[in-house]
Amino acid sequence: SQQGEEDPQALSIQEGENATMNCSYKTSINNLQWYRQNSGRGLVHLILIRSNEREKHSGRLRVTLDTSKKSSSLLITASRAADTASYFCATDPSGGNKLVFGAGTILRVKS
Amino acid sequence: GAGVSQSPRYKVAKRGQDVALRCDPISGHVSLFWYQQALGQGPEFLTYFQNEAQLDKSGLPSDRFFAERPEGSVSTLKIQRTQQEDSAVYLCASSPHRGPADTQYFGPGTRLTVL
């Protein structure tokens, strides 16, 4: 069972455009992370936002967290073809020992 | 430095065979996690080790699945009497921190196909 749900399931944009992906979850969390997965590869950590934070930036990435709505968004600005990948949000439910991943958003950036 | 490595990268097994999947975490990392990723889905937690102690195995789908990390470094995930529904990518991740709450470093995965 997966706690997070990403939206949209798939997104296709032109190079240079911004991409926004959303994630919703069900239980209280310590923090929320976003990971990227290129086809046939393992996951790469992008950014972590703690439950007491509302917004965080890292390069072209901007993450927001709304704990009252149990949701997060990942914005990739000025997208590049190399950003083509699947993106997953992951939460660690309070008191647990595991990360719970959503089903992911498949992003395709066309050059 | 070296990242997390997994072997084999690909494994084809006949139904009923036993398989063993290996994970070499980043040296010195305390925490080690195993995940199962079905096609088109996100990873699902299987089990968690802190050093050599298996602190959580709540995600293991059946008693055919067994994991160990005897010296607190390399870990092996064993699946006995494989079934077709075991076909998936098995991911290993390690972390220098205790627990799941910080960045996890993932290996490339082992793609298991059960015929």
Side-chain angles (χ1 to χ4, degrees), chain A residues 1-2 30-31 33 35 37 40-45 48 50 88 92 96-104, chain B residues 9 33 35 37 40-45 48 55-56 58 91 99-104 106-109 111:
Chain A
S1 60
Q2 293 177 314
N30 295 311
N31 62 43
Q33 304 181 45
Y35 285 81
Q37 185 176 37
R41 302 282 192 90
L43 282 78
V44 174
H45 180 262
L48 180 153
R50 302 205 180 275
F88 297 91
D92 61 315
N97 285 312
K98 58 187 174 185
L99 280 183
V100 180
F101 286 83
Chain B
R9 290 292 314 277
F33 304 84
Y35 296 87
Q37 186 175 23
Q41 297 295 314
E44 293 219 14
F45 171 82
Y48 163 57
L55 297 189
D56 191 331
S58 63
L91 296 166
D102 290 283
T103 301
Q104 295 186 17
F106 280 80
R111 181 177 297 276

Side-chain angles (χ1 to χ4, degrees), chain A:
Chain A
S1 60
Q2 293 177 314
Q3 162 160 253
E5 294 290 335
E6 279 94 343
D7 166 51
Q9 289 185 333
L11 182 60
S12 183
I13 59 174
Q14 290 293 133
E15 204 166 27
E17 293 181 338
N18 295 342
T20 300
M21 288 161 269
N22 302 297
C23 167
S24 61
Y25 57 92
K26 297 174 184 172
T27 66
S28 61
I29 61 172
N30 295 311
N31 62 43
L32 185 144
Q33 304 181 45
W34 285 90
Y35 285 81
R36 183 187 74 219
Q37 185 176 37
N38 291 86
S39 180
R41 302 282 192 90
L43 282 78
V44 174
H45 180 262
L46 294 176
I47 195 165
L48 180 153
I49 185 166
R50 302 205 180 275
S51 59
N52 61 355
E53 297 176 309
R54 292 296 166 258
E55 186 171 314
K56 200 163 185 179
H57 297 254
S58 176
R60 294 184 295 113
L61 305 180
R62 172 178 168 250
V63 169
T64 62
L65 178 64
D66 187 334
T67 53
S68 67
K69 295 181 179 178
K70 292 186 170 57
S71 67
S72 173
S73 67
L74 172 67
L75 169 68
I76 303 174
T77 60
S79 63
R80 305 167 182 168
D83 294 329
T84 294
S86 293
Y87 291 81
F88 297 91
C89 68
T91 56
D92 61 315
S94 299
N97 285 312
K98 58 187 174 185
L99 280 183
V100 180
F101 286 83
T105 292
I106 300 171
L107 174 65
R108 180 182 172 213
V109 181
K110 295 177 284 186
S111 56

